[in-house]
Amino acid sequence: MRHYKEKIMAALLLTSVGVSACSVTDIKGGDPNVIGSQGTALDNNSSSNNETGATSGASESADNTAASNTEGNNTAGNNTEDNNTASGNAGNQTSDLYESFLNGSSKAKLNDKFFDGSILLIAPDDRSAGYAQSSNLDTVNGFTIDDLKTVISDNGYECTSKPAYAYVDFGKDGTNELVVRYEAGSSYTAYFVFSDASGSVELTYAADQGERWSLDLLDNGFISNYGSSGAGAHSGCTGALDSQGVYHNFQSEYEVYYGWGIYGDYSKEEDFNEVIDAWAKEKDSRQGESICYTAVAIGDAEYYCYSNYDETGAITDDDINELVTMCAAKNIDIIDYDQIEAKVLEYQKSIGMDNITYDGGGQIEFKNL
């Protein structure tokens, strides 16, 4: 997981404004719905900034999106060959439900475990008091596929084409989930995942990507969503969809270089920022971009980390030991970030999702509606 993060982080540090959808105000990991709904408010503000500098991750995803658009123009009604499942009649019923939703003749509802990892804030959530919600779906009477386009447009992104769709069997249980993709120009793409829940179509997950945040949604359910909130700060999360299309968060983090503070809902956030500020000011060489600090939430656990990127020897082992000692004085355990990958894997094993990785997934192939 670390090598994938490094691939997109190198470019994110060159950007100046924008944040990811899973990482800002409440990232404990206990309730993924809170992670998405609160993190997206800051995204909505940041995405309106028109400075240039797209991330490499977003560009890569955009390239994949453009490429998949060229693959066929089959309608939902003609795509029955993609709907074969191991569940027999149940698979046919699911196909009929999805096609009815795709052609606009039926509505979908919101799943009880819906996760909003987008900037759209598409569903009411009174737990995120103080955050403006610009548009909502009708969660009582249901909503159509065209309502999704309206939500996107209400947030300032004008869809330039009809939606695309794909049937994906997340969890390999023999029943497909439906993934709908909307595009708004070359810089914005929204994804919506639907499941067949007791004979009705339900929205389980939403996420998007733009000029300053990168989203990967793979065919094995693995999801990575990272973005930049400045040249010295970025954040994001990784997780996966289960066999019902429900999102499970593996890791949320906020990583900064000196001059930026960790923020979110970490219990030791304020104390940690004070330690870093005092430690860095003791010696000029400790400042700048030679070392960065990360707050990480994995499940219900919380970690503070350091990464020593200095190659000149300015940041020594004694410097790191002093940092650890100063943190310990405030009851903060700080570890090398390289230890996080093992902790994430341990958590994935505890929820039975350790087989879902970035390397094990592939790009989803969409068809135009």
Side-chain angles (χ1 to χ4, degrees), residues 28-32 238-239 248-251 297-301 303 340-354:
K28 295 288 185 181
D31 187 346
T238 59
H248 299 265
N249 198 61
F250 298 159
Q251 169 186 355
I298 304 173
D300 293 324
Y303 302 92
I340 288 297
E341 185 173 1
K343 293 183 181 297
V344 173
L345 180 59
E346 181 181 1
Y347 174 69
Q348 286 182 250
K349 287 182 178 179
S350 73
I351 62 174
M353 301 185 77
D354 53 301

Side-chain angles (χ1 to χ4, degrees), residues 12 70 75 199 204 214 235 255 270 323 331 348 363:
L12 289 174
T70 63
T75 64
T204 59
S214 172
S235 51
E255 185 173 46
E270 184 175 347
L323 173 61
N331 296 316
Q348 286 182 250
Q363 295 297 321

Side-chain angles (χ1 to χ4, degrees), residues 20-247:
S20 69
C22 302
S23 57
V24 183
T25 53
D26 188 341
I27 51 180
K28 295 288 185 181
D31 187 346
N33 292 296
V34 179
I35 298 171
S37 61
Q38 294 187 343
T40 52
L42 185 54
D43 255 77
N44 208 21
N45 293 332
S46 301
S47 62
S48 62
N49 191 297
N50 290 323
E51 296 180 22
T52 59
T55 68
S56 64
S59 297
E60 178 182 341
S61 297
D63 290 342
N64 290 328
T65 295
S68 62
N69 262 348
T70 63
E71 298 177 2
N73 293 311
N74 293 338
T75 64
N78 293 329
N79 192 36
T80 55
E81 68 274 13
D82 288 339
N83 301 320
N84 295 326
T85 70
S87 56
N89 291 334
N92 292 333
Q93 180 184 7
T94 295
S95 173
D96 291 342
L97 284 168
Y98 291 154
E99 290 182 11
S100 178
F101 176 71
L102 287 171
N103 65 32
S105 61
S106 69
K107 294 183 177 182
K109 291 189 176 182
L110 207 63
N111 186 279
D112 290 339
K113 297 181 179 179
F114 168 74
F115 178 83
D116 188 358
S118 71
I119 69 166
L120 300 174
L121 292 171
I122 66 177
D125 189 345
D126 57 9
R127 291 170 297 180
S128 56
Y131 291 90
Q133 296 180 180
S134 57
S135 57
N136 298 307
L137 294 173
D138 187 339
T139 60
V140 176
N141 301 310
F143 49 89
T144 68
I145 189 170
D146 286 338
D147 290 332
L148 299 176
K149 181 177 180 179
T150 300
V151 169
I152 295 171
S153 298
D154 286 348
N155 280 271
Y157 300 97
E158 195 61 39
C159 297
T160 56
S161 61
K162 290 183 177 181
Y165 72 98
Y167 294 128
V168 185
D169 182 5
F170 296 121
K172 303 303 180 184
D173 63 340
T175 301
N176 286 328
E177 283 67 53
L178 168 67
V179 185
V180 174
R181 183 187 70 198
Y182 270 100
E183 293 182 318
S186 60
S187 61
Y188 178 83
T189 307
Y191 297 87
F192 303 91
V193 177
F194 297 87
S195 67
D196 174 3
S198 302
S200 63
V201 178
E202 292 190 357
L203 178 62
T204 59
Y205 178 81
D208 51 15
Q209 66 180 25
E211 289 185 351
R212 309 204 182 281
W213 67 101
S214 172
L215 171 72
D216 266 314
L217 169 57
L218 304 182
D219 60 6
N220 66 342
F222 183 87
I223 295 171
S224 177
N225 196 351
Y226 276 86
S228 173
S229 55
H234 49 266
S235 51
C237 62
T238 59
L241 302 174
D242 63 20
S243 59
Q244 283 75 48
V246 173
Y247 179 77

